[in-house]
Structures are given as C-alpha cells and as structure tokens.
C-alpha cells in the first residue's frame, strides 16, 4: 500500500505541487517564496517609500511571517525593520526582505530632483586689454556644470547713465567643482558683466545675485614716434610716453643700439652726453597691464663739421663733368665756395657743392673750397686733372695656332699715359694671358676655336672698352687611323681625313709602296683604283696645310675573294665515328665556320675550325649550308649534303 501511494504521488507530481517521500501531501505551512510590493520604485533624496513583503507556500497561498529588511548600500538608501525605504543619495540599491531563510528583493532608484544652489562671490579681474579672469564660490553639491554668461556693459544714454541693457550671452561651460574661467579675445577699454549659473539635469540656479563687472585695460600704445637730434658733447634728455598707463609701466630697449654716452631708464627716459655722431636705430618696448608695445625709433647725433670728400675724379676734355662735395656735422645744411685757386676751364662750383661743366683744356688745377654750416666754416684743398679722352686704338687681334707661340700688344691713347688692362667680358683662348700693365696678350694656345672678349683699359680714373675676336686654328693632324681592306680586281675608293691647318690639304706618300693598281690623289686625299696584287702593304702618308705638315703610318690589306673549296662530304656509317673538314681559299686565311642552314645528322656537329665530327645516330641524307668568314671581313656560303648509311 505504501508503494502504491508513492507511485501515485510520483505520477501526480506534474499536476499538484508537493508530495513527500512517504506519499503524504505538501507542508502547507512551509514558506517557499517571498514577494515584495512594489518590486521596483523611484524615491527622491530625503523621501521614503513603503515596501510590503508577503510569504507564500507551495500552493501560492499567503502565510503569516516575520520579515527582516536590508539595503545593498545604506549610503544610497536605508530600510527600516518595517520595509520603509528612505532615499539618501542618488543611485540604485536592492532592498531584501527575508523570512525563515527565504528572501525576496525590490529595486529602488534614488534620484535628486532639486536644482543646485547658486554660486556666490563672483570676482572678475582684468589681466590685460583682452583677457579677464572670472572666479566664484561653489555653494552646491549636486551641480553637473557651471555656465558662464557675459554681457557687454550698456552704452551711455544721451542724458547720462546707462543706455538700453544688453542681454547676457552664454560664453562658456566648465565642469562640476570648477570655480575659475578665463575669457579671452575681448575689446580694449570695454566694460563687461559676468554671471555664473550652477546647473544639473533638473535645471540651473538663478543668477541674479551673483553678477560681477570689470573693464578691460585700454590698448597700450607708445605715443613717442620721433626723437629730437642731439649733438656730440651736449647733454641730451627725452622722456618717452605711452597711453593708458599709470606710472607702473616698465620700459626697455629690445633691439638696436643707443648712441655711446646715452642711457635708457626703465621709466622711459633717454639721457646722457653723446660721444659719437651718427644715426642710431633701436626699438623700445613698454610693458603694462599684461600688454607689451614696441616702437622703432632713430636718434641722430650731429658731429663737428667735417668735409667727407677727400678727392675729385679726373675730367675729360669735351666730356660733361659732374662731382658733388660732401660734408657732415653742423646742422646738415651746407654752403660751398672756392676761396683760393681756380677750377679747370669750363667747370664751376655751385653753393650746393656740385662741380659741373665741360672741361675745355688738358692740365691739372689746384684750388681751395670752403664749407659753412650752423656758423662753422671749414676749408680743404682739392685738385682736378683733365685728360684727353681714353680710347683703345688697336683695331683687331691676330689669329693664332694651337701649339704655336702667340704675342700681340693692344695699344691705347689719352688718359695719363699709364694704363691698366683687363678682360672685362669673355675669356681669352686657353693658354693665352693679358699682361695688365703692358696690354700684351701672349702664350701658347692649347685649343682651337674663336674667343670673343671685351678688353678694358683704365687710366687716371678713366676707362675705355673694346670688343675683339681671336681665332685659334688647330694643329695639323691626319685623323684617318685605318683603311678598309681591298679585293683583287674590285674598284677601291677611300677618302683620307685631316684636321687643323687652314682646311686646305695636300696629300702624298712619303714611305712604303701602294698596292699595284691604286693611286693617292694629292688634292682630295682619295685612294682609288683597282688593286691587282694580293698582300699586306704598309706605307706612310703626309698631309700639308698652312705651312704645317703631319704624317701617319697606314696599312692596306689586299685579298683574293673568299671561296669554299670543299665540293662534297664523305658518307658516314650509322653508329661509327665520323670526321670531315671544310676547306676554303682567299681572304686573310683566318677562317671561322658555322652552320647557317639545314641540319647535320643527329650526333654530328660543326666546329668553328670547319671540322664535322661525331658519331651519327640517324640514317639518311641531310642537306646543310655552311658559312665561312675570314679575318678581313669577307664571308661566303656553301650548300652540301651528308649521307649516313
């Protein structure tokens, strides 16, 4: 009976829940699950939500039970012993209710729905004419960011006071806990208002009570753009000025040099006693209010009156003359005059210091001039030499020859008679040089060609130039180094070549003998005719041109026609060694053989020496064409056959 009850219980276990091993019914008082209502909820920080737990048996019936409650993170939310959950800070926690070892859970999301507290203590500081720093006090613990708003201060109204207000514009955002912001790119000398808002997902704090106002510095500009000149030995004092400063600015020299004896203070004052005349360029810099400005300045220091000009250029008769006298010191305004002696005829000095005119006679004139400036006068002696015009009188230059000594002197007239020569444009032929004192071009030319040069002669400050051309003809030489071979009975024609001389050549045989039937034409250098004797003929030829001669040793080979004298090849036997030799006549006797057509029997080959050898492995008759070449450049062919039995 017990076994039947157990079996019945096992069969019915898919329909009803709970049979014990003894076949009895489920324990109606056993807790199998715990449910929490609600199973999930949202609660604000500082608020509560009541959770209710229920114990269920295996049939789903509710049971009386006592529960213990707990939170997975008391820092986010706490749970009382009755299931009352209180929100502490933002986050998600799991609340657990447990009875008789069985637990149920609920998910609680704690949210902060309050806006952050507004910041306070807004401070604004102008760092320069374009930069402002903004600071504030963070009074909130739940902000996500701070938003910075800016309003340009309103313009003045026509009757006084502020004009229409301008709206604030958001210019930046910084993260939580950040309490500084730097605003850049602002306008010089402009008032700006700032306000700060603390913001999170619930909104932003009110800004009305935390605005700050500041005015950027005016743009720093150095007002001093020019300085009065000073004088050597005289006390100098000049104060530089700049806009928008309060006396705390710092001045300095950033480049250039002050006149010796002058110093520059950090207050912007140039002072001292200059000891050197001249114009001194330098750059000053002033720093104030985060700004830097610079200005290029020049300080002129006048020297004692001095005549700068130490000599005057020579003149040329009949040629316009112009020279300016120069002085320094004084007040920069000068008056010139001749106080002793006379200028060359045709010249005059104007008060501005220019000597001009057209000299009419050759000679040297001594005179004294005076310069006056700022009540000072100074005298100095000068001289002007007047010469006849300088000219190169040589019309042309002689041509030269490679390897032949060359010498020609270029001549000139006018000037002082003492000349200095130079090549102004171009170059002289290789191997030639110009003597600067004598004007002689000399040397041994090393290369043919035509050189175009411009020569210059200088004398007494005068110069003259002239273009010349020098042609250098090459040394005479025979350029033919070898002759093509000739054939007995065949017309031969070959031109000999030469280089150098004047291009007109006369040819002759001066040693050795020409082959029979050939002649050398003296005017054209042509070897022509029909050779009638084979052999190697060495001889020496000579060419003459422009008084020069040159020789060359040549060799002419005359050969008979190349002919294959072999008329047939012996038969061979299959599998037996075979050897046959081709023969030829004519040419230079140095023969090279090769197969130019057809095929040799398998196993045979043709050597360059004309020997056919090997062991044939095919039977039959094989047609072939051989070519023979001789060292004199001839070649001929012969067609034959080989039979292998």
């Amino acid at each position: 009976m017990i076994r039947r009850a157990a079996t019945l219980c096992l069969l019915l276990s898919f329909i009803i829940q709970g049979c014990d091993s003894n076949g009895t019914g489920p324990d109606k008082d056993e807790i199998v699950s715990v449910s929490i209502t609600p199973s999930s909820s949202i609660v604000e920080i500082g608020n509560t939500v009541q959770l209710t737990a229920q114990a269920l048996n295996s049939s789903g019936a509710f049971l009386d039970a006592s529960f213990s409650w707990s939170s997975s993170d008391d820092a986010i939310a706490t749970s009382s012993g009755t299931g009352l959950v209180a929100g502490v800070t933002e986050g998600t926690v799991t609340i657990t209710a447990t009875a008789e070892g069985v637990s149920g859970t609920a998910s609680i999301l704690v949210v902060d729905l309050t806006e952050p507290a507004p910041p306070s203590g807004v401070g604004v500081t102008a760092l320069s004419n374009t930069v402002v720093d903004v600071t504030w006090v963070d009074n909130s613990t739940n902000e996500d960011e701070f938003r910075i708003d800016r309003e340009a201060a309103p313009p003045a109204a026509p009757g006084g006071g502020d004009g229409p207000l301008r709206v604030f514009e958001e210019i930046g955002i910084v993260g939580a806990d950040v309490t500084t912001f730097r605003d850049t790119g602002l306008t010089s000398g402009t008032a700006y208002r700032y306000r700060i808002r603390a913001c999170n997902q619930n909104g932003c704090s009110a800004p009305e009570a935390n605005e700050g106002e500041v005015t950027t510095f005016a743009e720093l500009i150095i007002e001093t753009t020019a300085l009065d000149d000073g004088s050597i030995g005289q006390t100098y004092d000049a104060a530089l000025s700049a806009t928008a400063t309060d006396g705390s600015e710092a001045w300095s020299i950033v480049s250039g040099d002050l006149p010796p004896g002058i110093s520059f203070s950090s207050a912007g004052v140039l002072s001292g006693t200059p000891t050197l005349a001249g114009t001194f360029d330098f750059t000053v810099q002033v720093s104030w209010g985060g700004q830097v400005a610079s200005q290029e300045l020049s300080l002129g220091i006048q020297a004692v009156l001095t005549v700068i000009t130490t000599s005057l250029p020579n003149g040329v008769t009949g040629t316009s003359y112009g020279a300016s006298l120069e002085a320094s010191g004084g007040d920069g305004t000068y008056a010139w005059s001749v106080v002793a002696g006379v200028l060359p005829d045709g010249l005059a000095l104007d008060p501005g210091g220019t000597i001009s005119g057209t000299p009419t006679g050759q000679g040297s004139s001594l005179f004294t001039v005076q310069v006056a400036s700022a009540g000072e006068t100074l005298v100095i002696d000068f001289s002007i030499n007047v010469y006849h015009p300088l000219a190169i009188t040589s019309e042309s230059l002689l041509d030269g020859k490679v390897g032949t000594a060359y010498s020609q002197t270029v001549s000139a007239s006018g000037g002082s008679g003492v000349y200095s020569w130079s090549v102004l444009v171009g170059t002289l032929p290789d191997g030639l040089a110009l003597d600067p004192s004598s004007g002689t071009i000399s040397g041994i030319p090393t290369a043919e060609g035509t050189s175009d040069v411009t020569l210059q002669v200088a004398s007494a400050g005068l110069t003259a130039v002239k273009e010349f051309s020098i042609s250098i003809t090459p040394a005479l030489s025979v350029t033919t180094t070898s002759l093509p071979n000739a054939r007995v009975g065949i017309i031969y024609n070959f031109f000999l070549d030469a280089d150098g001389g004047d291009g007109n050549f006369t040819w002759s045989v001066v040693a050795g003998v020409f082959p029979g039937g050939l002649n050398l034409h003296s005017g054209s250098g042509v070897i022509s005719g029909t050779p009638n004797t084979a052999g190697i003929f060495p001889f020496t030829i000579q060419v003459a041109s422009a008084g020069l001669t040159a020789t060359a040793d040549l060799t002419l080979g005359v050969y008979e026609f190349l002919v294959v004298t072999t008329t047939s090849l012996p038969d061979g036997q299959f599998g037996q060694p075979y050897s046959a030799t081709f023969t030829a006549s004519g040419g230079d006797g140095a023969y090279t053989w090769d197969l130019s057509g057809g095929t040799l029997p398998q196993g045979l080959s043709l050597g360059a020496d004309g020997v056919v050898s090997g062991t044939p492995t095919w039977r039959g008759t094989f047609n072939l064409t051989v070519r023979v070449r001789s060292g004199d450049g001839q070649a001929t062919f012969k067609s034959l056959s080989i039979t292998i039995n």
Side-chain angles (χ1 to χ4, degrees):
M1 178 65 74
I2 292 173
R3 177 176 294 177
R4 287 181 180 178
T7 301
L8 179 60
C9 184
L10 178 63
L11 293 173
L12 295 177
S13 64
F14 295 102
I15 302 173
I16 60 177
Q17 299 286 329
C19 283
D20 59 22
S21 62
N22 296 320
T24 62
D27 186 352
K28 300 297 185 178
D29 295 326
E30 181 182 359
I31 299 173
V32 297
S33 64
V34 172
S35 67
I36 298 178
T37 304
S39 60
S40 63
S41 183
I42 299 174
V43 62
E44 287 188 61
I45 294 174
N47 288 347
T48 60
V49 60
Q50 180 64 56
L51 303 182
T52 302
Q54 292 179 317
L56 293 86
N57 63 12
S58 59
S59 299
F62 296 114
L63 300 177
D64 290 333
S66 177
F67 297 96
S68 62
W69 296 81
S70 64
S71 169
S72 63
D73 190 343
D74 288 339
I76 296 176
T78 61
S79 175
S80 70
T82 61
L84 182 66
V85 178
V88 178
T89 188
E90 289 185 304
T92 300
V93 297
T94 299
I95 303 299
T96 303
T98 304
E100 297 182 12
V102 180
S103 300
T105 61
S107 178
I108 302 298
L109 173 64
V110 181
V111 297
D112 186 354
L113 300 181
T114 62
E115 296 177 354
S120 61
V122 176
V124 288
T125 303
L127 300 183
S128 70
N129 62 321
T130 61
V131 179
V132 166
D133 266 0
V134 184
T135 61
W136 59 89
V137 177
D138 182 1
N139 297 320
S140 173
T141 60
N142 65 337
E143 81 276 359
D144 294 328
E145 60 188 23
F146 289 99
R147 298 187 181 184
I148 298 89
D149 300 334
R150 182 185 68 203
E151 174 203 38
D162 289 345
L165 291 178
R166 302 176 186 174
V167 298
F168 278 95
E169 295 180 346
E170 184 179 297
I171 60 169
I173 298 175
V174 298
D177 301 325
V178 179
T179 59
T180 61
F181 178 79
R182 177 161 289 181
D183 193 10
T184 61
L186 302 176
T187 302
S188 301
T190 302
Y192 294 93
R193 291 193 182 105
Y194 294 87
R195 67 184 187 186
I196 313 300
R197 293 175 292 149
C199 302
N200 61 16
Q201 71 272 19
N202 302 316
C204 296
S205 65
E208 287 77 5
N210 48 67
E211 296 178 6
E213 181 174 340
V214 69
T215 299
T216 56
F217 297 149
E219 183 179 2
L220 182 62
I221 299 174
I222 297 177
E223 296 175 307
T224 303
T225 59
L227 296 170
D228 293 335
D229 289 343
S231 299
I232 289 179
Q234 300 295 318
T235 301
Y236 186 87
D237 186 87
L240 308 187
S241 63
T243 62
T245 57
D246 58 4
S248 64
E249 68 272 14
W251 293 82
S252 61
I253 301 289
V254 294
S255 66
D257 296 305
L258 292 173
I262 298 295
S263 62
F264 186 54
S265 72
S266 60
V269 177
L270 289 164
S271 60
T273 302
T275 60
L276 181 66
T279 298
F280 299 86
D281 297 324
F282 53 93
T283 300
V284 297
Q285 177 178 282
V286 62
S287 302
W288 179 80
Q291 304 178 70
V292 175
S294 60
Q295 176 69 48
E296 295 179 354
L297 295 172
S298 291
L299 177 53
I301 303 300
Q302 294 181 3
V304 295
L305 184 60
T306 303
V307 175
I308 298 174
T309 305
T310 58
S311 63
L312 293 171
N314 297 319
V316 179
T317 58
T319 301
S320 178
Y321 181 93
S324 294
L325 300 174
E326 295 183 3
S328 64
D331 62 4
T333 302
Y334 308 108
W336 297 85
S337 60
V338 176
V339 294
V342 292
L343 292 170
D345 292 342
L347 300 186
L349 171 64
D350 69 27
T354 299
I355 300 173
S356 60
T358 301
T360 59
Q362 183 179 7
S364 180
S365 297
L366 301 175
F367 54 95
T368 302
V369 297
Q370 175 182 276
V371 60
S373 178
E376 294 183 73
T377 61
L378 183 67
V379 296
I380 188 169
D381 295 329
F382 288 103
S383 66
I384 296 178
N385 296 312
V386 178
Y387 299 104
H388 289 308
L390 181 62
I392 297 175
T393 57
S394 295
E395 294 298 327
S396 62
L397 298 177
L398 297 175
D399 292 337
K401 293 180 174 61
V402 172
T404 301
Y406 181 96
S407 179
Q408 183 176 1
T409 299
V410 187
S411 58
S413 65
S416 66
V418 178
Y419 304 122
S420 176
W421 296 87
S422 62
V423 177
L424 186 64
V425 179
T427 58
L428 291 170
D430 292 343
L432 298 187
L434 172 65
D435 186 317
S437 59
S438 67
T440 299
I441 299 172
S442 61
I444 298 176
T446 59
E448 64 176 295
T450 298
S451 298
D452 295 322
V453 295
T454 300
L455 301 184
Q456 175 178 277
V457 63
S459 178
L462 307 175
T463 59
V465 298
K466 195 167 188 177
E467 295 178 354
F468 292 96
S469 179
I470 302 178
S471 294
I472 303 299
T473 58
L476 186 61
S477 64
V478 177
T479 58
T480 300
T481 58
S482 62
L483 298 172
N485 294 320
R487 306 288 180 266
V488 174
I490 300 298
I491 295 174
Y492 185 87
N493 196 72
F494 184 79
F495 283 84
L496 299 175
D497 287 328
D499 189 20
D502 60 6
N504 297 312
F505 306 119
T506 300
W507 298 86
S508 61
V509 177
V510 295
V513 179
F514 259 19
L518 297 183
N519 294 291
L520 172 60
H521 296 269
S522 63
S524 64
V526 174
I527 299 173
S528 62
T530 302
N532 53 31
T533 304
I536 304 299
F537 300 90
F539 53 90
T540 301
I541 61 169
Q542 175 179 279
V543 63
S545 178
L548 304 174
T549 61
T551 61
D553 294 327
L554 298 173
T555 298
L556 178 57
V558 180
Y559 301 99
E560 299 286 353
F561 273 102
L562 181 61
V563 177
V564 177
T565 56
T566 301
T567 59
S568 64
L569 294 170
D571 293 344
Q573 297 295 320
F574 177 81
Q576 298 298 317
Y578 179 92
S579 180
T581 301
F582 285 101
T583 59
S585 66
D588 64 355
Y591 304 131
T592 301
W593 299 83
D594 59 16
L595 186 66
S596 67
T599 58
L600 287 166
Q602 184 77 20
L604 299 186
S605 62
L606 171 61
D609 58 357
V611 177
V612 179
S613 62
T615 301
T617 58
W618 284 4
R619 291 183 174 90
T621 298
F622 301 87
N623 297 316
L624 59 134
T625 300
V626 295
R627 179 180 63 174
V628 62
R629 291 173 289 173
S630 62
D632 62 327
Q634 296 188 68
T636 189
F637 300 85
K638 184 80 171 186
S639 295
L640 298 169
S641 64
I642 299 177
T643 299
I644 304 299
N645 298 313

